[in-house]
Amino acid sequence: MAISPIPHPTGALQNARAVSSPLKNAASAQTSSNGTPLANQVVPNAAAAAQSTYLDLAEQLNEDEKRKYIKGKKLGEGTYANVYLGFLRNDPTHLVAIKKIKVQKEYTEGMAPDAVREIRHLQELSHPNIITLHSVFSSKDQNLNLVLEYLPLGDLEMLIHDTDHIRYGAADIKAWMGMLGRAVWFCHENYVLHRDIKPNNLLIAADGEVKLADFGLARYFADPYRPMTSNVITRWYRPPELLFGAQHYSGAVDIWSVGLVLAELVIRTPYIPGNTEIHQIELICQAVGTPTEDNWPGVTKLPGYTINNKDIVPLRGQDHYMGLFGTLGADGVDLLMKTLSLDPKKRITARGMLEHGWWHKDPRPTRKQDLPKKSGGQEKVGADLKRRPGVVDEDRGNKVARKLDFGAAK
């Protein structure tokens, strides 16, 4: 049984300090002539004074936090955020990425909901394979600054698509997938759906560790009766239940995305790169099989189900997958097939992934310090972090290097 690293019990932010309310003692300052406290008498303007004191304390705490870091060169600039390289004032060797989120005028609070979600979830999720949020502070122009761990080697997408310079094998794929699997397992154990797993949201640390980033679409899923939007997850990695408009779903949506990352690592191009949602469904039918009541009970009741019975493709068997993904071996292909189950109820869980026999078969996962690396990661991480979190990337259809002929392997 594969055991995930024990998560740290404390959150990512270690610098929170308790501040007693100034209102607590505001009414105790006055006494009667004999020294007895006046029970119901309040100092004039005490509430205003207390609020001012509280704001002064909050501003001071913000200034203290801001002074901990020195902002260096700009790594990336966008309409949503600028990203800077920074370091701790008292330890210049400790590098960080400072993401300065610009005030969003279209929102009354000045901040988009996706930024709020990203901050909230990163504060609560502390794991070696999830990007660490060290601190949050505001600047004089009211922009919010997120201090994130610095991940200088870019993202997994860089490695996958650089076929001219980067070579990797089954042991490397197993190492990267183990890191991703543990990150997703930890999210789901804490009732968090990521809802946008893809290679360029998997950033790489200096020691080779892969870190799951961009929690702008993440949300809790503890309440199974609360409807959720189906317009999440970048189209190429979106599972069929969301393409059919499901509003009640589970961690299975993330697992489908994980399976497509695994497929992409092997063939080094997106496996199901649809240009539209209809095209995406067509490619899923060709690559995996057509969803029907026989293989997915209840699928025809989903609001967006529009499959023509004349175009049904039988479920693809193991031979089909071995033809494309034989590098993984029989056990790896079995795991891939379990992640790409059409019926989300039959799809393997994150825990089930970590308990799969593939991890115990040769080759063993590469040590993280020995994994392939690529130069130029500074620019890529700047580009990744300046993106607005939670934006579903739907404009990549024309960037596919090649399209697979699913009919070639029956």
Side-chain angles (χ1 to χ4, degrees):
M1 170 178 174
I3 300 176
S4 179
I6 298 174
H8 299 294
T10 54
L13 294 183
Q14 305 293 335
N15 49 18
R17 284 181 277 180
V19 181
S20 61
S21 171
L23 294 170
K24 193 174 188 178
N25 301 315
S28 62
Q30 281 196 342
T31 61
S32 65
S33 57
N34 63 2
T36 304
L38 298 178
N40 297 317
Q41 188 171 353
V42 179
V43 178
N45 298 321
Q51 184 178 13
S52 176
T53 304
Y54 178 81
L55 290 174
D56 288 344
L57 284 170
E59 290 173 0
Q60 185 59 51
L61 289 172
N62 185 70
E63 286 301 312
D64 291 346
E65 203 59 41
K66 184 162 57 174
R67 277 198 293 267
K68 289 181 181 179
Y69 303 97
I70 300 293
K71 187 182 292 184
K73 70 173 184 177
K74 185 180 291 183
L75 298 178
E77 180 174 359
T79 56
Y80 170 78
N82 293 338
V83 182
Y84 301 86
L85 180 63
F87 58 87
L88 275 173
R89 184 181 295 273
N90 60 5
D91 182 8
T93 64
H94 187 152
L95 300 179
V96 295
I98 301 176
K99 181 177 181 178
K100 184 177 182 180
I101 301 174
K102 299 176 181 178
V103 174
Q104 306 294 305
K105 295 180 180 178
E106 64 266 36
Y107 297 100
T108 55
E109 299 297 328
M111 193 190 316
D114 43 35
V116 176
R117 281 194 295 268
E118 182 172 45
I119 293 168
R120 179 181 64 189
H121 290 300
L122 288 181
Q123 283 178 327
E124 296 175 352
L125 295 171
S126 178
H127 187 273
N129 297 115
I130 295 175
I131 189 171
T132 299
L133 176 63
H134 293 299
S135 182
V136 180
F137 62 82
S138 63
S139 46
K140 290 181 179 178
D141 50 11
Q142 300 304 307
N143 290 324
L144 203 62
N145 294 260
L146 278 59
V147 183
L148 299 156
E149 66 175 312
Y150 178 53
L151 305 171
L153 297 183
D155 58 40
L156 206 55
E157 185 180 57
M158 285 178 59
L159 300 181
I160 292 173
H161 297 164
D162 188 1
T163 55
D164 293 332
H165 304 99
I166 301 296
R167 299 286 183 268
Y168 59 77
D172 305 316
I173 293 173
K174 190 174 286 188
W176 286 321
M177 289 304 300
M179 297 173 193
L180 172 56
R182 290 190 289 273
V184 175
W185 167 83
F186 187 75
C187 288
H188 291 182
E189 285 290 302
N190 288 277
Y191 303 102
V192 172
L193 297 177
H194 185 275
R195 303 200 299 182
D196 200 21
I197 293 169
K198 55 186 175 182
N200 74 338
N201 279 341
L202 297 169
L203 308 186
I204 306 173
D207 63 356
E209 196 84 50
V210 165
K211 311 267 186 171
L212 181 59
D214 192 346
F215 280 75
L217 285 173
R219 65 153 293 166
Y220 294 107
F221 65 106
D223 184 358
Y225 300 104
R226 186 175 179 183
M228 297 181 282
T229 177
S230 60
N231 189 30
V232 289
I233 304 181
T234 297
R235 186 193 308 120
W236 295 355
Y237 308 91
R238 191 180 303 166
E241 62 266 34
L242 296 187
L243 291 166
F244 291 144
Q247 292 187 315
H248 298 276
Y249 48 85
S250 67
V253 297
D254 285 341
I255 299 301
W256 177 275
S257 303
V258 170
L260 289 178
V261 171
L262 174 56
E264 190 167 336
L265 279 166
V266 177
I267 62 177
R268 303 194 73 162
T269 192
Y271 183 38
I272 309 179
N275 296 323
T276 64
E277 290 192 1
I278 297 298
H279 187 220
Q280 189 70 26
I281 293 171
E282 291 175 355
L283 292 184
I284 288 174
C285 292
Q286 295 173 33
V288 182
T290 303
T292 65
E293 283 292 331
D294 291 334
N295 56 44
W296 181 356
V299 64
T300 57
K301 297 178 182 178
L302 292 175
Y305 184 83
T306 55
I307 299 295
N308 189 328
N309 290 334
K310 297 179 181 179
D311 301 325
I312 290 179
V313 177
L315 284 181
R316 297 293 191 178
Q318 189 171 26
D319 289 345
H320 171 80
Y321 288 95
M322 286 296 294
L324 288 170
F325 307 103
T327 305
L328 298 174
D331 290 284
V333 165
D334 179 73
L335 175 59
L336 176 62
M337 292 176 67
K338 285 179 166 64
T339 64
L340 297 182
S341 170
L342 292 174
D343 186 348
K345 292 181 180 178
K346 299 175 185 174
R347 213 170 289 156
I348 196 170
T349 64
R351 179 179 289 276
M353 284 184 60
L354 296 180
E355 294 174 347
H356 195 275
W358 181 53
W359 309 104
H360 304 291
K361 299 295 176 67
D362 290 331
R364 297 295 184 181
T366 305
R367 297 186 307 168
K368 62 182 180 181
Q369 59 267 33
D370 297 328
L371 286 166
K373 297 176 177 62
K374 180 175 170 61
S375 60
Q378 259 196 13
E379 292 77 11
K380 190 66 169 70
V381 76
D384 286 335
L385 292 179
K386 79 179 183 183
R387 288 184 291 121
R388 183 168 179 167
V391 173
V392 176
D393 185 1
E394 301 289 33
D395 299 319
R396 303 172 65 197
N398 296 323
K399 302 177 184 178
V400 185
R402 63 185 176 89
K403 292 188 178 180
L404 300 172
D405 181 5
F406 296 109
K410 295 295 185 182

